[in-house]
Structure formats: C-alpha cells, structure tokens
Amino acid sequence: MVLSPLTTSLPKLQLKPGRWTVGSAATCSYRIVAEGVRPRHALLLCGGQTTLLKAWDTHTWHNGQPVHGEVRLQTGDRVTVGSVEFTVEPAGPVVVERAPSPIRSSSEPDGWDLERLRGQIQDLRDELSQRVSRRQAAIPAEPLIETTHPDVERMSARVVELEHSADEARRLLEQTQQELSSLRAEQAERDA
C-alpha cells in the first residue's frame, strides 16, 4: 500500500514492512511539517498483509473518525494527520528515501521497547548460564578457587543494567498510559 498525500508538496509513502514514525520531528521516518502535526504524531506498523495506524495525537483521523488506539488501514481509506489528508492506495513506486524506524525509545507508548528489553535480558541470562555451565564442566575436580571471570562480571552487570532499563521502560509505559487515559477522558468530556 501507499500513503498518498492530497497535497503535492509531500512525497508518497510506500508502506513496506516495518515501523514508520509520522510527525514533524526530524527523527521521524515520514516527516510532515504542517499545521497541527506534532513531532511524534502517529505510528504505522506494516506487516505482510496488515498495516495498522496508531495515534499518538488526538488529531489523527481515519475515514472521518478520530483514531482511538489503532485502526487497520485498507486501500481507499482516508487518513488525516494534523491538517494533512492522505488516501491509502495500492502499492506503487517507492518515493520516500528513509527506512522504517528501528525500535529505539522506551517512551513510545506501544510497549514494544519493553518487550525487546525483556528479550535481551533473557538472551543474556541464557548466554551467561551456558558460559557458566561450560566453564564448570571444564574445571577439574580439584578444590575450587573463588575467582570470578571478567566476562561473567561484565555480563552480570549488563543484565542488571537491562533489568533497570526494563523497569524504567515499564514505568514510562504506565505513565504514558495514564496520561493517555486522562487525555481521552478530557476529550470525552469536551465531546459530550
């Protein structure tokens, strides 16, 4: 699929598999500098057969309706980001030069970074356990001398660091979800 702006001043965005951040920040994979577009406005999650639009700002619309959470995009849909309107078209030529964003910030409200950190922690634990097992198997049956190998110390420190990062990411995720709930409640009161 292609996200095609109704204004000619912006390039089309071919929705290849990956994560596409949308907003006015220079770090976004699809940058839109226009009225009402926030630095981190929305996220497009593109898989093989499915593309999801996740709203990070309340001024994100899908087919004339505000996006609350996420929606699945289909050919023919209309998407509005701030003051810029797009149509979703069948795949066409690649126009945007930036690649999809890597998972990089624990402040993203989708929890993906937290899962990535958990996976890294588990990988490090597994690797550490395998190394310890191999070393123990290689140690002769003589009395052990209490020493710690530098690799084990370094990996243990890295595990502690990643666990701390995961805790921080979890705290930020909870804080963001609370803020989002509060903003939704305020919006509901305004809409009522």
Side-chain angles (χ1 to χ4, degrees):
M1 286 192 286
V2 174
L3 197 60
S4 180
L6 297 183
T7 176
T8 57
S9 64
L10 291 171
K12 292 182 179 184
L13 172 63
Q14 185 169 10
L15 300 173
K16 290 184 174 183
R19 293 168 46 94
W20 296 85
T21 53
V22 178
S24 60
T27 56
C28 287
S29 15
Y30 188 70
R31 187 172 187 206
I32 304 170
V33 179
E35 184 180 339
V37 179
R38 305 305 245 176
R40 291 174 44 109
H41 200 100
L43 174 68
L44 292 161
L45 300 169
C46 305
Q49 300 297 322
T50 303
T51 297
L52 297 176
L53 170 66
K54 294 186 83 161
W56 287 340
D57 186 87
T58 57
H59 297 98
T60 306
W61 296 69
H62 174 255
N63 293 332
Q65 298 294 318
V67 177
H68 299 289
E70 64 186 35
V71 295
R72 184 177 177 179
L73 296 182
Q74 298 177 0
T75 300
D77 286 352
R78 288 195 176 267
V79 173
T80 305
V81 175
S83 61
V84 182
E85 191 170 356
F86 299 85
T87 57
V88 180
E89 300 174 349
V94 177
V95 184
V96 172
E97 297 174 4
R98 286 190 182 186
S101 298
I103 299 172
R104 64 180 179 268
S105 171
S106 62
S107 63
E108 291 180 359
D110 58 12
W112 284 25
D113 201 45
L114 180 60
E115 291 304 315
R116 181 178 60 86
L117 286 172
R118 285 182 181 148
Q120 286 178 343
I121 289 169
Q122 189 58 49
D123 291 347
L124 284 171
R125 283 182 176 156
D126 292 345
E127 183 179 343
L128 181 59
S129 177
Q130 289 172 0
R131 284 187 180 196
V132 168
S133 295
R134 282 194 303 264
R135 291 199 188 270
Q136 285 177 344
I139 295 174
E142 299 175 22
L144 294 176
I145 300 172
E146 295 268 338
T147 60
T148 306
H149 193 276
D151 285 346
V152 173
E153 289 179 355
R154 189 180 75 246
M155 291 183 73
S156 294
R158 181 69 176 141
V159 166
V160 169
E161 178 184 331
L162 286 172
E163 286 175 335
H164 177 70
S165 295
D167 290 340
E168 181 65 18
R170 189 177 303 108
R171 187 188 63 73
L172 288 171
L173 176 62
E174 289 170 2
Q175 179 183 358
T176 302
Q177 287 172 336
Q178 288 173 352
E179 290 173 3
L180 182 60
S181 294
S182 178
L183 289 172
R184 284 184 179 155
E186 290 175 19
Q187 183 66 35
E189 288 178 12
R190 281 185 256 157
D191 291 343

